[in-house]
Amino acid sequence: MATSSERSPPPFPDSEDQDVLDPEDVGGRDSDEEDGEDLFLSPSDPPLADLDTPLPPANQPIEVLMTPPSDIMSDLLIEPISCQAEIQSASQVVTEPSDDFVDLTNNLTEEAADNVAAAAQDTAIISLDEPSDDFVDLLGSETEALQEEAVVVVDVPADTATDKSEGMGSDTDPPGEGKEEVEKVEEVEEASTAAVFDLIGDSGGESDSNTQQSPGIDTFVDPLVDLLSDTPPAAEAQKPSMATIDLFNEDEGSDLFSDPLLTMSARQPQKSLFGETDEDLFGEPLGATSKKTINKEQKDKTVTIKAAAVGGGINITGPLQEINPAEAGDLFTEEAVATAPSVSSTSTVNSKTNGVHSEEETDIFAEATVELSLDSPRSERKKEVMAKPSAPAPSLSATASLAKPQSAALEEMDEEEEEEQEDQFEIFVSVKDPEKIGDGMTAYMAYKLSTQTTLPMFRTKTFTVRRRFSDFLGLYEKLSEKHGPNGYIVPPPPEKSILGMTKMKVGKDDSSSADFVERRRGALERYVQRVVNHPSLLQDPDVREFLEREELPRAVSTQALSGAGFLKMINKATDAVSKMTIKMNESDVWFEDKLQEVESADQQFRKLHALVESLVVHRKELSLNTASFAKSAAMLGSAEDNTALSRALSQLAEVEDKMEQLHQDQASNDTFSFAELIADFIRLLGAVRGSFDHRIKAWQRWQDGQAMLQKKRETEAKLLWANKPDKLQLAKEEIAEWEAKVTQYEREFDRVSATVRKEVIRFEKEKAKNFKRQIIKYLESLLQSQQQLIKYWDAFLPEAKAIA
Amino acid sequence: MEEVQEGASAPSVHGHNIKVTEVVIDGDTLTFLIVSQKLSGTGEYHVYRIYEDLEWLQHHLFSQEDVPGIQGVIFPPIPAKPQVNASAKVMKQLGFLGLGEWQPYCKALESFLRQVASHSVLKKSKAVEIFLTSADPPGRQRVRKNIFNRLSQAVGEMRKEGHKDVDEFFQAARDQNLIITGCTKSATERFLDVVLTEQKIAVACGHFSAALHLCVEAGEDPDKQAFSSICVKLSEVFESIKKNMMSTAENNVSTLGLGLDLESRYQEAEKEMLFRRTCKLAELETARRNAEKAKPVKKAAMEEVKKAAETEFNHICGVAKQEIARYEAARVQMLQQALVQWCEKQLLTARESADQFDQCLQGFRGMA
């Protein structure tokens, strides 16, 4: 493409100098640094490609839906090579498309502001030179306005664009003007597109608003794609075709998710957003963020533009439909967003909403991926797409209004679905996408924490945050500090693993490292789920903050929990507890028994854990051995002379290969169903013992208080005996104080005891429930793998029998 | 009941249903009870034999000087010497045969005897008859010496292995044998690893199942009872997983394992036969050279030696060709049988286990 873009320019500079563009214009572009030049060169082809396609749609949108789309795509891709020829053909077509532009722009501007449309009508008769002048102006103003007045910039291109297309239309309409004339028109066309490119390239974030405004001119739509690849700082002509492909790839994913929600959030809170948030929102896309992110946003936007173009009657739906039906569906919903603002408000507002828009988009995208079930919305969208072509009036307002109810219906669908899911649980937290951040020894793993809930205490039903491992530990620290002394069993997080982490940091991508990450992810998920399942802990503000808040203050001093130290700490604590129990003359048999039980359960779980781990080791070994047997069976098969036997042996090798996978799955199933579950409970038992410990501490305090009270009373008696009334008063006060304290301590102890009791009972309930659920899951997978095995054997049996 | 029929040209028993029904472990020696049915109809021979008797039999089969082309026979391979409390090295050598309570070994022995007794050439040997029917164990001392002789002879002739063959058929057979012997051996070893690991898993499941029983807590508390019953049920599940693994491993051994083992040993036997033939070939070539170079005085004698060698070699080649063809057919059939049986047995086990797991699953789901 780079070469072809170099080849294509010659005609343009020439004609440009001769008749179309003033030096000013050129200067203006130059002032845009290299961008301008490149933009002018490379995008010069794609617009022509577009000229072909929009031609019929203006009048017969429905037909076009099916056919031209592919043209657009193919043209965009092929153009670079055949650009010269394209120019010829395009120039012949130029007249009609420009008519279309008039319509489109009229439609658009009518919606936006009537007088703009009028102006467009007026300028329709203006000669060829004038548009280019306008254009120059535009460029000038735009470069000045760059950062400050996005609004103006937005307005201007839209107007000039309409002007220009009008102008072209009028110029080329008179037949027999000659080929040169047509070429000029083409030049203008190019210039205008280039201008808009410049504009976009320069204004960065503004391009969002800009492009929003210009959808009427479909020419701009696709060039933008090219532009996007060209605008990045390195101002070399890149491959537009590549860019387009990228664009589509990216959009497919992101828009798919974001749009349904986007329409909802962007459209409804529109007015308030204008009022409140326009500063931040607008500021961010403008200059605050880096260029790269802006570019990304732009890419997203281009689809929006296309959607708007669809509304404008150009019906680019076709190509998109071909690329991805679901995406086409998006366009409609997206369009609703894009058009609604333009209908209701001026361009200023428009640009602002765009800012909002882009912000929302990223957020929603992140959230939507979490749990939106794709199937039905997609089919819904498909329906929409189907319904779309039959829409008789391709006018902007009509389609916009059509799209709106549909997207609204879509929203409702989504919501209903979510509710259905959520009926089963009040809150569900998932930990996903472990991601290594950073390099070397400072690297850490970040996890995506997604929450789905129907609980009214949360502002939204679903939200997602990113947390690193130490945040999880930090949460535990806070919770155990606050709730531990009260006798609550705070679910402990997985230990820090120096070995696993170091492996991860070193960047070893072996299976053990992946295994470690997956194990930890699962453990974290279960940990958080346990926390939120606890009715008291869920109410804790720290938990809510942990689930909801975007940025969490960095957890410190989690180092103390690192690795084996954590386990040791628990062990020490329990040792201390058992020692203390000897000292403490337990009044409550229940606690005595429970402690015994917990101790023995801990022993047993540890034993079970070791056994399961060894089972897993054997399973893995089996998988390895099966694999090597499969290999030697394959070798034997290939060495075998007898063809039937050889065939059977190769089949056998395949079967064994599949079985290897089965064994491997079974190994991880063992790991994640039992080993991890048991490990969890070993940790939890530690926490249970911790709660016992806290109860004893409370008891100790009470006893100490009593001893103190006793002492005070003795002093009082002494004082009474020594007859010192002045000090006696003080002593009496102290006794009263300590009496109160002792009662308070006693009450506290009783409270802690009651809580511990309740918690232990709850823990046991949970334990039984958890185990049962996990075992059912395990058995299901076991059964499934057994059935898979049967299938494999069934398939192999005829092969064995076929040996003659 | 036991009688000796001297001088019979064929054994007085059915070759195809000789059974090794029992193995008696007495100190370090294993004694096998070999049962064979009389050809005459009613009655069976029951003889007790130890491994040395087997060696005696094999030696006598090897050294049948009077049978032309005996060197061309692929002698049914005798399993390696079994040992009670064998070292790891010996166990490795035994492979599948060392597993379990010697049942696989008995099976292998059984198939060895059947093959000997139904071999067209070997069954005519008197030694077979004596081995299968004589109540007294055949003599043993002599054998040791001869075996030693055979071994030293083999070492001396080892260098002839690479000798170029005159016959393309045999050259191809030798090449193929060399390749496939290696492959079979490695496949057998790998398969043995699989079986061993399966056994380990079964043991681990057993431990886990037993440990789960210890988790059962006494008490009236419904939660506790629920957990206890979960433990018990899970223990049952693992018990059935264990059984499943056990029978899977057993299936592996009794079908494909033994099949591969036999195949592997047979290929070794074929290799030995081919090697013997190659040695004879070398001998013949030397004789020819000697006859050419020989002085007139010795010429006649040399020619005679050459002639004798030539006839013997031709005999060997003739027998060998037949034997190879027979073996090729037999081994394909044997392997097919092994594969089919294996597959069927595994299917059965898998189905049974699936049923059991399903029941357990239903049980768990049914739990309140």
Side-chain angles (χ1 to χ4, degrees):
Chain A
M1 180 55 206
T3 49
S4 65
S5 67
E6 278 163 27
R7 239 189 295 129
S8 57
F12 304 121
D14 290 348
S15 51
E16 177 189 307
D17 287 343
Q18 280 162 18
D19 27 58
V20 189
L21 295 168
D22 293 355
E24 235 182 294
D25 179 15
V26 178
R29 252 189 292 111
D30 283 346
S31 68
D32 299 333
E33 299 163 12
E34 305 105 316
D35 288 14
E37 201 174 304
D38 278 313
L39 293 172
F40 184 67
L41 298 184
S42 54
S44 59
D45 302 329
L48 294 171
D50 287 334
L51 290 179
D52 286 339
T53 44
L55 161 64
N59 302 324
Q60 298 145 325
I62 297 156
E63 277 179 28
V64 184
L65 265 177
M66 303 327 328
T67 44
S70 55
D71 286 351
I72 286 185
M73 283 310 290
S74 60
D75 280 350
L76 274 173
L77 300 176
I78 299 161
E79 193 84 55
I81 306 138
S82 63
C83 54
Q84 294 290 349
E86 271 297 324
I87 291 162
Q88 291 297 324
S89 63
S91 60
Q92 286 161 8
V93 190
V94 147
T95 52
E96 277 165 321
S98 57
D99 273 346
D100 299 339
F101 297 154
V102 181
D103 288 343
L104 300 172
T105 43
N106 282 350
N107 278 338
L108 178 81
T109 44
E110 263 167 344
E111 307 299 331
D114 281 346
N115 45 357
V116 177
Q121 294 293 341
D122 290 343
T123 50
I125 320 146
I126 296 169
S127 70
L128 187 65
D129 289 334
E130 281 191 51
S132 64
D133 279 346
D134 271 8
F135 184 53
V136 173
D137 284 350
L138 160 72
L139 274 175
S141 64
E142 172 251 318
T143 41
E144 286 166 67
L146 258 185
Q147 299 290 326
E148 311 138 36
E149 290 192 7
V151 181
V152 177
V153 180
V154 172
D155 264 347
V156 175
D159 286 355
T160 45
T162 38
D163 288 353
K164 210 154 301 130
S165 49
E166 259 313 305
M168 285 187 296
S170 61
D171 255 298
T172 44
D173 267 347
E177 275 265 358
K179 208 161 185 194
E180 212 188 306
E181 192 68 26
V182 179
E183 268 175 27
K184 278 183 209 161
V185 176
E186 192 189 310
E187 227 51 62
V188 177
E189 186 61 34
E190 242 112 51
S192 66
T193 49
V196 178
F197 301 151
D198 286 350
L199 182 95
I200 292 156
D202 292 337
S203 52
E206 290 161 11
S207 64
D208 286 353
S209 49
N210 182 7
T211 46
Q212 277 294 336
Q213 189 63 12
S214 57
I217 301 117
D218 74 318
T219 332
F220 295 170
V221 176
D222 276 351
L224 262 178
V225 177
D226 295 348
L227 171 80
L228 289 170
S229 64
D230 288 341
T231 36
E236 285 177 29
Q238 292 179 7
K239 295 176 183 174
S241 59
M242 288 297 286
T244 44
I245 291 161
D246 283 349
L247 175 78
F248 286 120
N249 284 343
E250 274 185 43
D251 285 341
E252 268 167 35
S254 56
D255 283 50
L256 199 64
F257 297 114
S258 60
D259 289 340
L261 286 172
L262 178 64
T263 46
M264 169 176 64
S265 51
R267 193 156 39 79
Q268 285 156 357
Q270 207 176 21
K271 287 216 167 131
S272 61
L273 282 171
F274 300 152
E276 293 164 20
T277 49
D278 77 345
E279 272 172 25
D280 329 286
L281 297 178
F282 194 48
E284 237 187 283
L286 254 180
T289 46
S290 69
K291 272 237 167 183
K292 276 188 181 175
T293 54
I294 290 169
N295 282 335
K296 264 196 176 172
E297 278 168 24
Q298 284 175 340
K299 280 184 182 177
D300 285 342
K301 276 279 107 44
T302 43
V303 172
T304 322
I305 295 151
K306 277 178 189 157
V310 174
I314 293 162
N315 282 309
I316 304 181
T317 0
L320 295 165
Q321 213 168 356
E322 278 193 0
I323 300 154
N324 181 351
E327 196 193 354
D330 285 354
L331 296 180
F332 293 110
T333 53
E334 176 94 49
E335 167 202 357
V337 189
T339 50
S342 66
V343 173
S344 58
S345 51
T346 60
S347 53
T348 326
V349 177
N350 204 352
S351 63
K352 280 173 191 165
T353 45
N354 286 338
V356 173
H357 196 148
S358 57
E359 265 244 320
E360 288 286 344
E361 200 167 54
T362 47
D363 277 356
I364 289 162
F365 171 46
E367 279 175 22
T369 44
V370 175
E371 36 78 43
L372 254 186
S373 83
L374 287 173
D375 291 335
S376 76
R378 186 176 284 177
S379 62
E380 184 68 16
R381 278 181 214 140
K382 271 183 192 157
K383 267 187 231 159
E384 249 181 283
V385 174
M386 295 311 288
K388 203 73 221 160
S390 61
S395 82
L396 181 61
S397 56
T399 37
S401 61
L402 191 65
K404 259 193 247 176
Q406 273 173 352
S407 59
L410 185 66
E411 281 161 34
E412 277 168 22
M413 282 286 292
D414 283 348
E415 273 166 48
E416 269 170 27
E417 225 164 79
E418 273 164 36
E419 261 156 21
E420 262 172 26
Q421 279 183 325
E422 282 158 6
D423 278 343
Q424 293 156 13
F425 46 79
E426 286 186 317
I427 182 161
F428 177 78
V429 185
S430 62
V431 177
K432 283 183 200 156
D433 302 344
E435 190 187 345
K436 186 180 163 186
I437 310 259
D439 272 317
M441 288 320 283
T442 55
Y444 64 93
M445 296 298 287
Y447 302 85
K448 200 147 98 189
L449 190 73
S450 314
T451 313
Q452 292 178 51
T453 179
T454 50
L455 292 175
M457 58 182 282
F458 294 100
R459 270 180 294 140
T460 49
K461 283 182 181 172
T462 60
F463 35 90
T464 303
V465 288
R466 277 201 93 76
R467 293 282 176 263
R468 54 181 293 179
F469 181 64
S470 55
D471 294 336
F472 288 86
L473 294 186
L475 176 68
Y476 171 71
E477 293 253 288
K478 283 184 200 157
L479 290 178
S480 62
E481 215 168 276
K482 264 190 274 185
H483 299 283
N486 293 330
Y488 285 107
I489 299 173
V490 181
E495 302 87 18
K496 266 197 172 179
S497 161
I498 290 170
L499 183 73
M501 235 6 232
T502 314
K503 261 190 184 169
M504 198 273 298
K505 277 174 181 165
V506 171
K508 259 194 179 171
D509 275 338
D510 60 359
S511 63
S512 75
S513 174
D515 193 53
F516 165 73
V517 170
E518 177 53 26
R519 271 188 186 219
R520 169 166 281 182
R521 188 205 62 74
L524 287 176
E525 187 170 292
R526 290 190 304 274
Y527 155 65
V528 179
Q529 188 61 43
R530 281 203 177 92
V531 170
V532 299
N533 278 347
H534 195 293
S536 314
L537 296 183
L538 181 60
Q539 302 302 325
D540 191 282
D542 279 328
V543 174
R544 291 188 53 180
E545 193 176 61
F546 182 74
L547 293 177
E548 279 188 310
R549 212 167 119 180
E550 203 57 54
E551 288 295 322
L552 209 61
R554 179 92 168 76
V556 284
S557 76
T558 54
Q559 245 59 22
L561 293 174
S562 83
F566 184 69
L567 270 184
K568 257 184 222 154
M569 198 178 75
I570 287 178
N571 285 341
K572 252 186 222 160
T574 50
D575 283 351
V577 171
S578 49
K579 270 176 207 154
M580 280 160 90
T581 29
I582 300 165
K583 271 195 285 173
M584 176 184 177
N585 46 352
E586 184 62 82
S587 51
D588 198 332
V589 189
W590 188 88
F591 280 102
E592 214 167 353
D593 290 351
K594 271 297 160 209
L595 192 62
Q596 287 280 314
E597 270 171 34
V598 168
E599 300 257 307
S600 71
D602 182 69
Q603 293 291 319
Q604 277 153 5
F605 275 133
R606 276 171 203 276
K607 199 176 163 194
L608 286 184
H609 188 252
L611 286 172
V612 175
E613 287 288 354
S614 79
L615 179 63
V616 169
V617 169
H618 291 319
R619 291 247 198 231
K620 282 183 180 158
E621 194 186 314
L622 179 60
S623 155
L624 279 178
N625 285 338
T626 310
S628 64
F629 174 60
K631 223 176 267 166
S632 20
M635 265 166 60
L636 186 61
S638 64
E640 179 59 53
D641 266 350
N642 185 304
T643 42
L645 188 57
S646 164
R647 200 180 121 80
L649 286 170
S650 324
Q651 291 286 338
L652 170 66
E654 269 173 44
V655 169
E656 289 292 323
D657 262 335
K658 284 179 200 155
M659 280 187 200
E660 183 228 333
Q661 190 55 46
L662 220 54
H663 292 317
Q664 209 173 316
D665 292 348
Q666 191 58 49
S668 56
N669 194 20
D670 281 356
T671 308
F672 294 115
S673 290
F674 281 120
E676 290 297 274
L677 179 72
I678 292 169
D680 272 8
F681 273 95
I682 292 173
R683 275 183 221 120
L684 278 168
L685 283 172
V688 172
R689 288 196 288 191
S691 75
F692 278 96
D693 187 19
H694 283 301
R695 176 176 165 269
I696 285 162
K697 271 185 195 152
W699 182 79
Q700 203 81 39
R701 206 162 47 213
W702 176 36
Q703 294 302 313
D704 289 351
Q706 265 181 334
M708 193 57 135
L709 182 62
Q710 193 61 34
K711 232 187 249 167
K712 295 284 172 199
R713 283 204 173 117
E714 275 167 21
T715 353
E716 191 207 14
K718 265 183 207 160
L719 287 171
L720 205 63
W721 191 70
N723 198 10
K724 284 181 180 164
D726 50 333
K727 281 186 185 171
L728 197 64
Q729 189 53 36
L730 192 70
K732 274 202 162 100
E733 272 168 27
E734 273 183 348
I735 286 171
E737 186 192 321
W738 275 99
E739 269 173 347
K741 267 188 188 168
V742 166
T743 8
Q744 193 206 329
Y745 287 152
E746 187 178 2
R747 224 179 280 143
E748 249 169 46
F749 171 69
D750 287 344
R751 194 168 47 82
V752 172
S753 294
T755 314
V756 170
R757 207 176 173 124
K758 217 171 68 193
E759 284 281 289
V760 169
I761 289 170
R762 188 180 169 277
F763 165 75
E764 281 180 346
K765 260 199 180 62
E766 287 285 311
K767 181 171 82 169
K769 226 165 68 187
N770 252 317
F771 265 86
K772 192 186 145 196
R773 198 174 48 220
Q774 206 62 38
I775 290 166
I776 287 177
K777 233 190 240 171
Y778 178 75
L779 275 175
E780 274 167 359
S781 73
L782 199 65
L783 189 60
Q784 209 181 349
S785 76
Q786 203 63 231
Q787 273 155 356
Q788 199 62 45
L789 200 65
I790 293 174
K791 245 184 242 168
Y792 293 155
W793 285 121
D794 265 337
F796 181 64
L797 190 56
E799 294 289 340
K801 283 187 171 158
I803 308 169
Chain B
M1 181 175 162
E2 283 151 10
E3 50 187 279
V4 185
Q5 289 184 356
E6 295 283 337
S9 61
S12 56
V13 294
H14 287 290
H16 64 273
N17 56 8
I18 295 172
K19 279 189 183 121
V20 179
T21 54
E22 219 178 286
V23 55
V24 183
I25 300 167
D26 176 24
D28 279 349
T29 39
L30 290 164
T31 312
F32 303 96
L33 174 61
I34 298 163
V35 178
S36 47
Q37 284 188 335
K38 286 179 185 170
L39 270 181
S40 53
T42 52
E44 287 171 335
Y45 290 108
H46 288 243
V47 290
Y48 288 92
R49 294 287 180 259
I50 57 170
Y51 190 74
E52 278 70 21
D53 299 326
L54 287 163
E55 283 182 334
W56 173 87
L57 171 65
Q58 206 187 25
H59 168 74
H60 276 274
L61 295 178
F62 281 147
S63 51
Q64 298 180 77
E65 308 279 336
D66 51 337
V67 180
I70 188 71
Q71 310 255 41
V73 171
I74 301 175
F75 290 101
I78 185 168
K81 188 180 159 104
Q83 269 177 27
V84 184
N85 306 322
S87 64
K89 198 180 159 195
V90 176
M91 284 307 277
K92 195 169 176 265
Q93 208 185 353
L94 278 171
F96 281 101
L97 305 183
L99 294 174
E101 302 288 310
W102 299 108
Q103 292 94 336
Y105 195 86
C106 291
K107 282 269 169 213
L109 212 55
E110 207 170 278
S111 69
F112 164 72
L113 291 173
R114 285 180 187 187
Q115 272 151 0
V116 170
S118 29
H119 194 279
S120 55
V121 178
L122 301 178
K123 71 179 176 189
K124 288 172 190 152
S125 165
K126 224 160 55 180
V128 177
E129 178 70 20
I130 293 169
F131 182 87
L132 288 176
T133 60
S134 168
D136 307 317
R140 284 165 202 170
Q141 288 90 350
R142 212 166 31 133
V143 175
R144 289 235 170 97
K145 204 176 116 208
N146 283 332
I147 290 236
F148 176 74
N149 284 350
R150 193 168 63 89
L151 279 176
S152 59
Q153 193 185 8
V155 171
E157 284 171 354
M158 202 59 105
R159 58 198 131 88
K160 287 179 187 151
E161 188 128 293
H163 193 87
K164 183 104 178 70
D165 214 298
V166 287
D167 191 330
E168 257 179 52
F169 172 81
F170 283 106
Q171 186 66 50
R174 278 164 61 185
D175 292 345
Q176 171 67 10
N177 177 269
L178 204 63
I179 297 167
I180 208 140
T181 306
C183 286
T184 313
K185 207 168 199 168
S186 100
T188 311
E189 277 164 14
R190 297 289 89 76
F191 196 58
L192 179 64
D193 287 343
V194 171
V195 170
L196 288 176
T197 316
E198 276 167 353
Q199 287 180 336
K200 277 191 219 161
I201 290 176
V203 171
C205 285
H207 285 321
F208 189 65
S209 161
L212 276 170
H213 264 296
L214 294 177
C215 287
V216 174
E217 297 166 354
E220 265 85 87
D221 189 1
D223 287 324
K224 234 188 254 176
Q225 280 182 340
F227 185 70
S228 294
S229 70
I230 285 172
C231 284
V232 172
K233 284 225 161 148
L234 188 61
S235 161
E236 282 165 21
V237 170
F238 269 87
E239 196 57 41
S240 63
I241 295 176
K242 178 194 163 189
K243 278 187 192 135
N244 167 33
M245 266 300 161
M246 292 280 261
S247 49
T248 306
E250 209 182 292
N251 294 341
N252 284 342
V253 174
S254 66
T255 56
L256 191 62
L258 278 180
L260 281 172
D261 179 73
L262 181 62
E263 165 79 355
S264 172
R265 281 182 295 124
Y266 240 112
Q267 268 155 9
E268 286 292 339
E270 188 191 22
K271 192 186 215 167
E272 269 175 36
M273 183 277 285
L274 289 167
F275 176 63
R276 284 194 302 269
R277 192 193 142 273
T278 315
C279 291
K280 209 33 126 185
L281 175 67
E283 206 178 289
L284 172 64
E285 278 167 1
T286 326
R288 273 189 190 140
R289 265 199 304 277
N290 287 346
E292 272 169 34
K293 285 182 204 160
K295 288 171 181 135
V297 196
K298 286 182 182 172
K299 187 106 185 173
M302 284 298 179
E303 281 292 335
E304 211 158 287
V305 171
K306 192 190 99 179
K307 271 241 170 75
E310 228 160 36
T311 355
E312 203 185 345
F313 180 70
N314 287 341
H315 270 300
I316 289 173
C317 285
V319 173
K321 264 191 188 163
Q322 278 175 16
E323 281 282 290
I324 287 171
R326 190 187 59 83
Y327 165 61
E328 282 300 322
R331 68 178 277 270
V332 170
Q333 204 197 350
M334 190 271 294
L335 279 178
Q336 189 224 8
Q337 223 172 4
L339 283 172
V340 170
Q341 276 180 3
W342 181 50
C343 203
E344 277 166 351
K345 280 194 173 184
Q346 297 294 42
L347 256 179
L348 198 70
T349 307
R351 289 218 169 95
E352 272 172 12
S353 312
D355 279 350
Q356 274 175 5
F357 295 157
D358 197 37
Q359 273 176 15
C360 292
L361 183 59
Q362 296 313 325
F364 268 108
R365 280 190 179 140
M367 273 169 66

